[in-house]
Amino acid sequence: MRFAGIDVGTTSVKGLVIDETGTVVAEAEASYPLSTPRPGWAEQDPEDWWRATQQVLAELRGAGGAPIDGIGLTGQMHGLVVLGADDEPLRPAILWNDGRSQPQCDAVEARVGVERLVALSGNRALAGFTAPKLVWLAENEPETFEKIRHVLLPKDYVRFRLTGERVTDVADASGTLLLDVGARAWSPELLEVFGADAAWLPRVVESPEVSGYTQDGVPVAAGAGDQAAGALGMGVVDEQGPASIVLGTSGVVFAARDQYAPDPEGRLHAFCHAVPGAWHVMGVELSAAGALRWLRDATGGAEFGTLTAEAARWEPGVEGLRFAPYLSGERTPHADANVRAAFLGLDLRHDRGALTRAVLEGVAQGLADGWDLIDPKPTIGRFSGGGARSALWTDIVAATLDVPLERTASEAGAAFGAALLGGVAAGAFATVQDAVAACVHPTARTEPDPDLAAAYAQQRASFRALYPALKAADGQA
């Protein structure tokens, strides 16, 4: 049997097909544009997602000759897709990285209180989330708001076009601020807070459940948001197992939880997991490998391998040079969209390699801000993302978090986890855990170097002092 995973991302739809051992037998990708009509805004045409999905599925079905027996969906979280009475989008989708609704978030937290909001939703009100976008729409485009008949997330719009069903899963729905995450159901109280009509919302189910069928009868699993699906693809399924640590454009620390236990201050996200009856906590660093990409572009465009080779010539700590990685603001633990990055401690001796090493270390320390909040801590991390391909950065992260880091045989990310869910929906595996046991295979392992870990532990205090110092310098303390 073969199972497809479809990942509706911010820049493209990525798809793959795996067999019952987890071997990737086909891959395809189709890209589309991102619109930024104003500073801080990010929008896309949902029809672009559907066209790309059709292209990817056609390529996957034509590869290898064997049929696809199940499909799982994943994709960018938090995006707002609003449909009218004719089931057509009323406007472009407002995406996860759109910050226009920050005033609405501030107003909601002031009215409801952070403690009550976190107790219900597991999270603070962030501009990236779905519900604040609805409030923005009501206040700024009331004529559009009045026409809303359905609200969908990005991958769920693709599901609707694929199966005709309006369904979402508990993991992706957790990022809307409309779900009672502990009860795994839409919250009447949150719906009232954000002015949403329950009739607009899709049916919410567990991630491996069959949500509908394609025209040719292939079952489509409910799926999950990209972080939960990606963690599933890394084998992160329960509290006793490994954590997922992602060093992509953003950085993520992700741990499964057997019980719903949100951080009272909302510093960590608390979402339903793609594993039925489980939850997860997650810390997000907004600029991770993206910070290294910025440095590369700002210093002449050298290859990443050249930059990290130059960084390796410097000792840990870079003679007091520190980098605060807040190029796009920060989410965990500060929830501050306005703070910005900085180098501190620059000296005439510091060269491009020193700047690079400081970025590698600053990003690792930013990951540690989230890791420090996870309790109990997993004893192993499964490491993925573009930054995980660097041996030096892997050593730095392992030492900073003081945890062994494992790689897995597949680096296909969220699409791989979605394909596992497709396998459960197709009946090849009885449970998500069975799918993971059959298909997720750890390979390389990096142990934290004790001397390096000790050096970075000594630097924690100086790194943690950067954020309040930057806020004070900006007059916001």
Side-chain angles (χ1 to χ4, degrees), residues 64-231:
I68 292 172
D69 300 291
I71 297 173
L73 298 175
T74 185
Q76 51 174 301
M77 299 179 67
H78 315 303
L80 175 66
V81 183
V82 289
L83 307 183
D86 59 357
D87 289 328
E88 294 293 327
L90 293 169
R91 68 175 323 281
I94 305 177
L95 303 190
W96 64 274
N97 52 346
D98 186 293
R100 74 184 74 180
S101 64
Q102 187 59 53
Q104 287 74 27
C105 292
D106 296 340
V108 164
E109 288 197 345
R111 185 171 78 252
V112 178
V114 170
E115 185 176 352
R116 181 58 182 163
L117 192 61
V118 169
L120 280 171
S121 71
N123 300 278
R124 293 188 61 178
L126 300 179
F129 283 22
T130 313
K133 298 178 174 70
L134 274 172
V135 181
W136 182 91
L137 206 61
E139 295 176 358
N140 293 274
E141 297 180 8
E143 68 289 348
T144 300
F145 186 84
E146 290 299 321
K147 296 176 183 176
I148 295 174
R149 295 299 178 267
H150 304 286
V151 171
L152 295 175
L153 294 165
K155 79 172 194 324
D156 301 323
Y157 177 78
V158 168
R159 180 202 324 282
F160 174 62
R161 297 298 300 272
L162 191 62
T163 69
E165 300 289 342
R166 297 186 189 90
V167 178
T168 192
D169 67 279
V170 292
D172 211 358
S174 295
T176 63
L177 284 180
L178 297 174
L179 193 79
D180 183 331
V181 175
R184 308 173 84 87
W186 298 122
S187 165
E189 183 175 343
L190 289 171
L191 289 172
E192 183 178 355
V193 165
F194 289 102
D197 188 332
W200 298 344
L201 301 180
R203 181 166 58 93
V204 61
V205 300
E206 296 292 338
S207 292
E209 289 188 34
V210 176
S211 63
Y213 295 85
T214 64
Q215 287 187 345
D216 52 354
V218 178
V220 178
D226 53 3
Q227 290 301 327

Side-chain angles (χ1 to χ4, degrees), residues 118-469:
V118 169
L120 280 171
S121 71
N123 300 278
R124 293 188 61 178
L126 300 179
F129 283 22
T130 313
K133 298 178 174 70
L134 274 172
V135 181
W136 182 91
L137 206 61
E139 295 176 358
N140 293 274
E141 297 180 8
E143 68 289 348
T144 300
F145 186 84
E146 290 299 321
K147 296 176 183 176
I148 295 174
R149 295 299 178 267
H150 304 286
V151 171
L152 295 175
L153 294 165
K155 79 172 194 324
D156 301 323
Y157 177 78
V158 168
R159 180 202 324 282
F160 174 62
R161 297 298 300 272
L162 191 62
T163 69
E165 300 289 342
R166 297 186 189 90
V167 178
T168 192
D169 67 279
V170 292
D172 211 358
S174 295
T176 63
L177 284 180
L178 297 174
L179 193 79
D180 183 331
V181 175
R184 308 173 84 87
W186 298 122
S187 165
E189 183 175 343
L190 289 171
L191 289 172
E192 183 178 355
V193 165
F194 289 102
D197 188 332
W200 298 344
L201 301 180
R203 181 166 58 93
V204 61
V205 300
E206 296 292 338
S207 292
E209 289 188 34
V210 176
S211 63
Y213 295 85
T214 64
Q215 287 187 345
D216 52 354
V218 178
V220 178
D226 53 3
Q227 290 301 327
L232 191 66
M234 300 297 289
V236 179
V237 294
D238 59 48
E239 195 166 306
Q240 292 71 45
S244 171
I245 300 168
V246 182
L247 199 57
T249 300
S250 58
V252 175
V253 292
F254 178 116
R257 286 290 174 262
D258 300 333
Q259 304 291 330
Y260 177 56
D263 176 66
E265 298 176 45
R267 295 168 298 177
L268 290 172
H269 300 309
F271 290 166
C272 299
H273 199 356
V275 180
W279 289 262
H280 70 81
V281 292
M282 180 173 69
V284 178
E285 179 182 25
L286 291 179
S287 295
L292 184 59
R293 186 180 304 113
W294 162 80
L295 182 68
R296 178 201 64 182
D297 295 344
T299 57
E303 296 291 333
F304 288 122
T306 300
L307 293 178
T308 55
E310 293 175 357
R313 301 180 190 133
W314 285 84
E315 293 296 318
V318 207
E319 299 179 0
L321 180 60
R322 299 287 182 268
F323 175 68
Y326 310 135
L327 289 163
S328 303
E330 191 55 295
R331 188 174 291 185
T332 303
H334 306 299
D336 187 343
N338 298 315
V339 66
R340 285 297 178 264
F343 285 101
L344 292 92
L346 278 167
D347 185 90
L348 287 171
R349 284 174 45 80
H350 290 135
D351 57 12
R352 186 174 68 178
L355 295 176
T356 302
R357 178 104 193 190
V359 167
L360 302 182
E361 293 180 348
V363 167
Q365 293 282 356
L367 282 174
D369 278 349
W371 185 253
D372 287 349
L373 297 173
I374 296 175
D375 183 30
K377 284 184 173 54
T379 57
I380 296 173
R382 295 272 171 84
F383 200 34
S384 64
R389 300 189 185 104
S390 164
L392 175 61
W393 216 349
T394 300
D395 288 340
I396 289 171
V397 172
T400 303
L401 305 188
D402 198 20
V403 67
L405 298 179
E406 291 182 341
R407 302 290 297 277
T408 59
S410 173
E411 297 182 356
F416 189 89
L420 297 181
L421 295 170
V424 179
F429 310 107
T431 66
V432 173
Q433 291 88 339
D434 290 343
V436 166
C439 298
V440 180
H441 311 293
T443 54
R445 179 177 171 121
T446 300
E447 297 287 342
D449 178 271
D451 294 335
L452 199 58
Y456 290 141
Q458 288 183 339
Q459 294 168 23
R460 278 297 287 154
S462 64
F463 176 82
R464 296 183 72 173
L466 295 181
Y467 176 77

